[in-house]
Amino acid sequence: MPSDCITYQNSGYFSKLIVDYLDQKAELKTLYNRFPTMENFGLQIEEKSNNFPIENREILVKALANQYEKIDISKTTSTNLELLKDSKTFTITTGHQLNLFTGPLYFIYKIVSVINLAKELKTAYPKHNFVPVYWMATEDHDFDEINFFNFKGKKIQWKKESKGPVGRLNTSGLEVVFEQFSSELGLGNNANYLRELFKKSYLEHTNLADATRFLANELFKNEGLIIVDGDDLELKNLFIPYAKKELLQQTSFKKVNETLPILEQYNVQVNPREINLFYIQDNLRERIVFENGNYKINNTQLSFSESEILTELENNPKSFSPNVILRPLYQEVILPNLCYIGGGGELAYWLELKSNFEANHVTFPILLLRNSVLLATEKQHEKLDKLGLNWADVFQKQEDLINKKTKEYSSFTIDFSEQKTFLKKQFENLYTIANQTDKSFIGAVKAQEIKQLKGLDTLEKRLLKAEKRNLNTRLEQIISIQNALFPSKSLQERKNNFADFYESYGDTLISVLFKKLKPLEHEFTIISL
C-alpha cells in the first residue's frame, strides 16, 4: 500500500494550538525560545552554558548517585552520570507519570524520542555530550490516572487508596495485579520476560518511585537513560530561592496571567493559582493558599505565618512541591537541559510559561512534540491493500471515511452537486421575474428554493444510506480494520500498552522504534511489524 506521509498537522489528532506551533505562526513566537531545528540547538547550547551553575551539576550528580544506589546500571548509564559533571554535557528531557507498567504506548515513544535526539545532537555537535533524561512525576497525586493499564482489551487495575505523592506510595496489593496480568499472558520467552519484568519491578520494590525507576532502567539501561526523581532533598534545596519568591511575590501567577491573552483564541491548558506550590507529606498533597495574612494548607488545620513558612521551607524543602505551572521551572533549575519533549497537552501548558522563566532568569528550553507512532501488523497491511485503503484514509474520522468509500465503491455517482447547480440556475430566472413584478413574490421564490435544495440533500443522504446497505460487508471490513488500528476511535498509542506488542515481537519492537523514530521530523511514524 502507499506509504503516505501523515504530518501531525494533517492527522486530525492535535489541537489548533499545537498545529499553529508546528506551523510557526507569528502570533505564537513570543511564547517559546527557539523552534526545534538542529541549527537552533547550537544557540540553545550557548545560552544554557552561560546560565547553568557548575555547582548545580555537582549537586545533581550527587543526588542521582543516591537515587541509583540500590539499582544495577549499565556502563552507558554510569558514563552518562559521570558526564553530567562536565560543563559540555547537556540533557534532553521528557517527563511522565508513574503509570502502572508504563501505561499507554506513548510512554515508550517519549523515551525513544529523547534517546534518539541525544544521539542526533552528538553527531551534529561532537564536542558536546547529550544525556537522555526521564523525569518521573513522583510528586503527582492523581492516582486514578496511573493505577491501570490496558492489555488485550482489558483494563488491569491496581485498587488502592492514595492521597499523597504517588512516588511514595507503598506497592502492597500489586500481587493481585500481577496474577491478573500473568493469567492474560500466553506462553513463550517474551511472555515470560514480561512476567519477570512486572514481578521484579513491582513485587520486589517497596514504593512506586523505586518500582518505576527499576522498570524504566531495565527497558532502556543499554541506551544510558538517566531517571530523575524530583522528590529529593538535595534537589529541592536548589529550588528554595524560587519557592521563596513564589510564596512572597506570586511571580508565576502574575506572569502567566500576562501571557494568557495571547492564547485566548485557544483552549487554555491550565490556569495559574496565586501560589503554585503544594505542601506534601507521605499521605498529603494539598495546595498552599494565602488567606488573612497566613499561609494555609488547603483542607487541613495547618497554618503558617510568613516567617514560619519560610523557616519550614529552609528546614524541610521536601515538604514543598511545585504544581504543573512551577514544575517545569524546577526541572530546568536542576538540569543542564536543552529541550523538553512532550505530548500536545504538555507543550500547550509549557507555552504559557516563558515569561515566568524570564522573570526567574532561567533559560527556557526548546519544546519538541514527541514522536507519535501507529503500529500495524503484516495482516493489517494486507487487509488495507485489499480494501484499497491508504494511511491518509484510515486517519480520517470513521463517518467521513465510510461516506467517502461508499461513493468510491458505488457503481453510480452519489453526488447531487450537478442537480443543485441546475436548480439554482432555474431559480435565478424566477428571481429575475419576481424583481420585475411583485416584490413580495421574492420571499415565496426563496422559500421554494430552500425547500427544493433541502429535498435534494435528503435524497442524496437517503441514496448514500441505501448504498451503504448494499456495500455493508465491505464497509464493515473497513470499520473493523480502522477500529483495530484506532481503538475506541482514539490513537493506538493512547490505549494500548507496550506488552500488547512485546508479547508477539519481543525486543524487535524496541529496536525498530529506535531505528524509525526521527524526533525532528513532525510526521506520524507508521511502522510495520
Side-chain angles (χ1 to χ4, degrees), residues 93-95 110 340-347 367-371:
T93 301
T94 192
K110 277 183 168 184
Y340 184 79
I341 297 180
E346 291 175 281
L347 264 56
L367 302 179
L368 178 60
L369 187 64
R370 65 168 173 81
N371 284 115

Side-chain angles (χ1 to χ4, degrees), residues 55 93 134 153 176 192 220 233 259 294 317 326 350 354 379 430 435 443 469 471:
E55 55 267 27
T93 301
Y134 160 43
V176 176
N192 289 337
F220 296 107
L233 179 59
T259 298
N294 286 315
L326 271 192
W350 273 87
K354 181 168 174 278
K379 286 185 178 180
L430 288 173
N435 281 315
R469 287 195 296 268
L471 298 166

Side-chain angles (χ1 to χ4, degrees), residues 398-406 468 475 478-479:
Q398 194 164 94
E399 184 179 357
D400 293 340
L401 174 60
I402 294 303
N403 288 343
K404 175 187 174 184
K405 287 301 170 181
T406 301
K468 284 180 182 178
L475 296 176
I478 291 175
I479 291 170

Side-chain angles (χ1 to χ4, degrees), residues 17 256 260-261 263-272 348 352:
L17 175 59
V256 175
L260 292 184
L263 294 164
E264 61 185 1
Q265 64 173 302
Y266 308 101
N267 291 323
V268 174
Q269 193 71 13
V270 293
N271 287 293
E352 300 177 25

